[in-house]
Amino acid sequence: MMRHFAVLCLAVIVCGWMYSCQQQNGQPDSGQVDQPGIKLTGKYLAHIELDSTTLIASEVVNGLEVPWDLTVGPDGWVWFNEQRGTVSRVNPETGKVQRLLEVPDMHMEGARGLLSKVLHPELEQHPYVYLHYVFGTEDLSTRLVRYTFDGDTLASPKIILDELPGGIRHHGSRMMISPDYKLWMGTGEGGRSDLAQNPDSYHGKVLRMNLDGSVPDDNPIEGSRIWTSGHRNIQGITFGNEKIYISEHGPDTDDEVNLLQKGGNYGWPNVLGYCNSEAERDYCRDSLIIEPIVAFNPVVAPAGMEYYDHDAIPEWKNTLLLTSLRIQTLRVLELNEVGEHVDEIRIFFQQYFGRLRDIAVSPDGKVFLATSNMDWYKEFRPEIHDPQLVEKGDRIIMLQKADEDLMAHLSDIDEKIVLEEDPVPLYLGDADISDEMEAGQQMYLSYCSSCHGSEGEGAGDYIPGLVDSEVAAGNRDRLIEVMLNGISLQERSGGQDFVWEMPAYSNLDDGEIAAILNYIRREFTHQTDTFEPADIRHIREETD
């Protein structure tokens, strides 16, 4: 994991040094921990030398469980909610953690639970905190609830919107309040890709509403909260340059960062990323599809995103700071002057802190990161999780510019860890790919393994495995049709029932699909027959 970093010392520094609450031995003062199971250290983790700025990473708190959403409140505290249903805040100056709420009616399983959160910008005058979470048992839905902050707890819940998009996955969920005091919410399509284009459904949409949940008069569709459509699974939303940007997960191709336009259609499920196949170009022209400002292939699982324009880190001014889960990075997307294009992408902390779920920026230019090493993915893909990171639980990490005082502290540390910008992006499975690996296995790892697993093992109750799969070993034409057109149905595989949705891969050419199917067929079902590009072309022509 350390191969992409210049490291002066591999030891983890246990000497605390940044917070006034700490003693000479690096341990927090007694009485600082209000939340059982959370351990405060405030320790130095590493630092990066940018062009003219030394950026120091320190640990604010660890022992968390999937802090899904970070917000720096008007009170100066970092508010965070864990997927398991807790809302807390931590004082970054003292390290004190205060538990505010345990959501009583939430459903937690897999990717479901307490999702995004947003604070009223004038919290002292309007002490409202909005939460979006999954509830129910069989018929899963999500709801938006407003709580009132009394200084110690969140109380007096009021349901703003009920029965929002839900399902076993793809709840999206990132919220913000814009400078004109409108509440924005990015949803997922809930595994129902067909609903992303449905103007009567909130699946796969960006919603814009007044703070009481009512519909603004200037929304694009009268009486509807829908601002944009055609999204798959929105994970980040931010305001900058008088514009709104979102990040969203693609299937196994084309993660996207999009610049929102009023009433815009972003193409899912008919367009993945740019309009670059013949079918996509036709659809984009006929349906006025808006292309992303960035598409990632292979996918990186982009998550939280914040616009940065502070003098504290001048190298990052006018950028989008984008966290990623799958490739475990902080990506700095440098925008052009008007914020309509990405000119350059810089990569930091690649596979160092683990999966990064969210990011927040304080008024004084500090950056806070939330890791997500404790989520359900650690059971699905344990080989890409550092056991030491899992053992510590999830963390909130602070990045700040080293002023003269902090530089003096830094000079006193004998064993320093210096990280570098990562010049080359890594992808899942890179460590296992050899020069002799067949094209089919390479493509399987790029396009299929994030769901079905690198060994075809699937993901428990969520995604069927391919090993000895009746579908993978069965009718050849049906297997090709599934690759070309995707599938959304209830299926029995390996003795289990799955309600699942797989995207279409018609954007791949005939040879690429044949290579993937040959690898799956041979590796996971031990069939010896072979798919040729002509077989794919035949089914493609029949189903067009």
Side-chain angles (χ1 to χ4, degrees):
M1 179 176 69
M2 300 297 295
R3 58 180 173 166
H4 293 277
F5 303 99
V7 180
L8 298 184
C9 177
L10 297 179
V12 176
I13 309 304
V14 295
C15 175
W17 59 281
M18 296 190 66
Y19 298 133
S20 60
C21 67
Q22 293 183 290
Q23 305 296 313
Q24 293 296 321
N25 63 1
Q27 299 301 315
D29 278 340
S30 60
Q32 290 299 315
V33 181
D34 286 1
Q35 183 172 346
I38 288 184
K39 176 181 169 184
L40 302 175
T41 63
K43 67 183 179 185
Y44 161 88
L45 297 175
H47 65 280
I48 286 181
E49 300 289 349
L50 303 179
D51 295 339
S52 61
T53 305
T54 298
L55 193 61
I56 297 178
S58 62
E59 183 178 277
V60 177
V61 60
N62 66 24
L64 306 180
E65 186 175 341
V66 194
W68 187 283
D69 197 303
L70 290 184
T71 307
V72 180
D75 53 6
W77 292 56
V78 179
W79 294 58
F80 62 93
N81 53 280
E82 297 171 90
Q83 189 183 357
R84 60 183 174 176
T86 65
V87 182
S88 306
R89 62 175 185 162
V90 57
N91 186 327
E93 298 300 324
T94 67
K96 181 177 181 178
V97 175
Q98 181 183 21
R99 172 72 59 80
L100 303 173
L101 174 70
E102 293 187 25
V103 179
D105 55 346
M106 186 205 72
H107 177 85
M108 165 66 181
E109 184 180 3
R112 289 157 274 174
L114 176 54
L115 305 173
S116 59
K117 166 193 82 278
V118 67
L119 279 60
H120 194 289
E122 298 174 353
L123 191 65
E124 186 173 344
Q125 296 80 17
H126 304 281
Y128 300 133
V129 177
Y130 297 81
L131 303 178
H132 182 213
Y133 57 87
V134 180
F135 74 100
T137 53
E138 296 181 1
D139 297 324
L140 295 175
S141 299
T142 66
R143 61 169 42 134
L144 173 63
V145 180
R146 190 190 75 187
Y147 280 82
T148 299
F149 178 53
D150 63 9
D152 294 311
T153 61
L154 293 175
S156 305
K158 178 181 179 181
I159 296 175
I160 301 297
L161 289 179
D162 212 350
E163 298 186 2
L164 285 161
I168 61 173
R169 59 188 177 277
H170 299 177
H171 306 103
S173 193
R174 199 65 71 179
M175 295 190 292
M176 74 168 192
I177 296 176
S178 54
D180 61 353
Y181 291 88
K182 295 295 186 286
L183 175 60
W184 299 73
M185 173 188 287
T187 73
E189 30 83 310
R192 291 287 308 278
S193 58
D194 57 308
L195 295 179
Q197 293 292 329
N198 186 335
D200 297 322
S201 169
Y202 284 161
H203 289 71
K205 308 296 193 301
V206 172
L207 308 180
R208 177 179 181 259
M209 66 195 86
N210 298 315
L211 296 185
D212 62 359
S214 61
V215 179
D217 294 336
D218 57 345
N219 270 15
I221 303 172
E222 184 178 358
S224 174
R225 298 176 181 86
I226 294 174
W227 187 260
T228 60
S229 60
H231 304 288
R232 183 175 182 268
N233 194 15
I234 296 171
Q235 296 286 297
I237 186 167
T238 188
F239 180 87
N241 287 308
E242 303 299 319
K243 299 174 175 63
I244 295 176
Y245 305 88
I246 63 166
S247 61
E248 57 182 296
H249 288 181
D252 285 312
T253 66
D254 296 287
D255 290 332
E256 298 180 2
V257 174
N258 284 298
L259 172 58
L260 295 190
Q261 297 182 27
K262 182 177 181 178
N265 186 341
Y266 291 80
W268 176 259
N270 303 297
V271 179
L272 285 67
Y274 305 115
C275 303
N276 52 12
S277 73
E278 183 176 353
E280 288 176 332
R281 284 191 291 270
D282 292 341
Y283 185 84
C284 289
R285 182 186 62 251
D286 296 340
S287 303
L288 302 179
I289 299 302
I290 300 170
E291 294 184 289
I293 60 174
V294 169
F296 294 101
N297 282 297
V299 293
V300 301
M305 181 171 64
E306 284 285 341
Y307 178 72
Y308 194 91
D309 200 37
H310 201 284
D311 291 333
I313 310 176
E315 295 89 343
W316 291 0
K317 288 200 69 171
N318 193 33
T319 65
L320 297 173
L321 304 182
L322 177 67
T323 59
S324 78
L325 296 163
R326 189 173 185 229
I327 309 302
Q328 308 173 7
T329 63
L330 173 65
R331 278 173 158 79
V332 179
L333 281 56
E334 298 182 359
L335 299 169
N336 68 342
E337 185 175 354
V338 294
E340 294 179 349
H341 301 285
V342 174
D343 291 337
E344 187 176 354
I345 299 176
R346 304 175 69 182
I347 302 173
F348 297 92
F349 307 123
Q350 185 163 235
Q351 298 183 358
Y352 190 77
F353 293 129
R355 290 160 63 82
L356 296 179
R357 171 71 62 177
D358 198 23
I359 185 167
V361 177
S362 67
D364 60 358
K366 295 184 180 70
V367 176
F368 295 87
L369 301 171
T371 71
S372 192
N373 296 311
M374 302 301 294
D375 58 32
W376 70 283
Y377 209 73
K378 75 179 187 300
E379 308 295 337
F380 175 35
R381 294 298 305 274
E383 72 275 11
I384 67 168
H385 284 73
D386 185 332
Q388 291 183 344
L389 296 179
V390 173
E391 182 180 353
K392 293 178 181 178
D394 283 318
R395 302 187 281 181
I396 296 175
I397 297 166
M398 179 170 65
L399 310 177
Q400 65 177 322
K401 178 181 179 178
D403 57 16
E404 291 184 5
D405 291 338
L406 291 182
M407 288 299 291
H409 281 293
L410 190 60
S411 65
D412 291 337
I413 296 176
D414 295 328
E415 299 173 320
K416 303 180 181 69
I417 299 176
V418 185
L419 308 182
E420 294 179 337
E421 178 181 347
D422 295 277
V424 178
L426 299 177
Y427 298 104
L428 280 185
D430 271 5
D432 301 319
I433 294 177
S434 66
D435 293 338
E436 295 79 22
M437 180 181 288
E438 295 182 4
Q441 186 175 5
Q442 292 182 4
M443 297 196 67
Y444 175 83
L445 289 171
S446 293
Y447 293 107
C448 311
S449 66
S450 64
C451 288
H452 291 292
S454 60
E455 303 297 329
E457 67 273 23
D461 296 332
Y462 308 106
I463 300 169
L466 297 175
V467 177
D468 298 327
S469 162
E470 296 95 329
V471 175
N475 184 276
R476 290 167 52 90
D477 289 353
R478 180 170 185 253
L479 189 57
I480 296 171
E481 289 175 0
V482 168
M483 281 292 297
L484 287 172
N485 303 318
I487 191 170
S488 181
L489 47 74
Q490 183 165 333
E491 182 87 7
R492 186 164 184 82
S493 179
Q496 289 183 275
D497 290 321
F498 296 89
V499 179
W500 60 291
E501 179 260 346
M502 174 182 143
Y505 287 96
S506 57
N507 58 308
L508 300 180
D509 66 34
D510 297 338
E512 292 170 328
I513 291 177
I516 292 173
L517 293 180
N518 283 330
Y519 175 75
I520 291 173
R521 193 90 156 182
R522 181 182 65 251
E523 184 72 12
F524 301 135
T525 72
H526 308 294
Q527 304 294 310
T528 58
D529 57 332
T530 301
F531 291 87
E532 299 293 340
D535 300 324
I536 315 303
R537 184 167 60 252
H538 173 70
I539 301 299
R540 192 192 296 268
E541 290 172 351
E542 282 192 347
T543 58
D544 278 348

